[in-house]
Amino acid sequence: MTTSPPVPRTGWTGADPYAAALRAGHGPLFLRRTDGWLLPLDVERWCARADPVDRSVLDRCEGAVLDVGCGPGRLVAELAARGRTVLGIDVSAAAVDHTVRLGGQALRRSVFEPLPGEGRWGTVLLMDGNVGIGGDPRVLLGRVARLLAPGGLLIAETAPVDVDERADVHLTDAREAVGAPFRWARLGTPALLRHARGWEPEAQWETGGRRFAALRVRRASSSAEPPKSTAVISSQRAR
């Protein structure tokens, strides 16, 4: 009998500094390692509308799109405005509410929980460092592979430097850390490709000082229904 890997912990749920930053539309907001090192989070960009770099990435999306860790929803809103089938998921209620206010569909859900349309998504997005969710890249990539349709596409934003690290972090506004520490990863593109067993590298590029990689899942054909707007998300109400 096989067992599923443990669901990685996440520290975003109920994180007051994150919710406050989204309401204000700006930071400061950081991930803080236990040794005191701070990783600044680009709240202002996340809360703005999709910029030219974002839009160039979204041009590559295929079929129905699942934005994992959608944050305040700029990418979901942009794809919805284009008439695309798109759903955002995030563990933060504040992020989901913000996405819905922008006109997108979103669910308060972890990527490791059951999701609508599993095995039928055309594209999964891991933007804004979300390739680090859970702190174990291989577990996350395995989960994404199960979400995608055969031959589906993952587009991930990677760190701007060649790094491959995992750490326990807190979310903080630089005054105090909130909640229990949780595992997070930082990956450059070379590290992502090393962890991407069962994937075909499709492209890697840099634009606007940000780096991205596209990978296509290798999986035998199945009889799963192709992504459709009604089949994927019509039974789910955004919360």
Side-chain angles (χ1 to χ4, degrees), residues 49 72-73 76-81 86 97-106:
R49 293 286 181 173
V76 176
E78 172 66 22
L79 285 168
V86 57
D97 290 344
H98 198 286
T99 300
V100 173
R101 285 197 300 272
L102 288 182
Q105 285 193 288

Side-chain angles (χ1 to χ4, degrees), residues 31-48:
L31 292 180
R32 185 171 72 189
R33 287 194 318 222
T34 53
D35 64 2
W37 181 84
L38 294 173
L39 175 67
L41 302 178
D42 199 352
V43 178
E44 290 84 354
R45 180 169 59 79
W46 298 352
C47 288

Side-chain angles (χ1 to χ4, degrees), residues 54-77:
D54 294 328
R55 293 194 294 271
S56 70
V57 172
L58 299 183
D59 289 342
R60 296 173 179 255
C61 290
E62 302 171 357
V65 181
L66 179 67
D67 185 3
V68 173
C70 66
R74 75 188 192 282
L75 305 179
V76 176

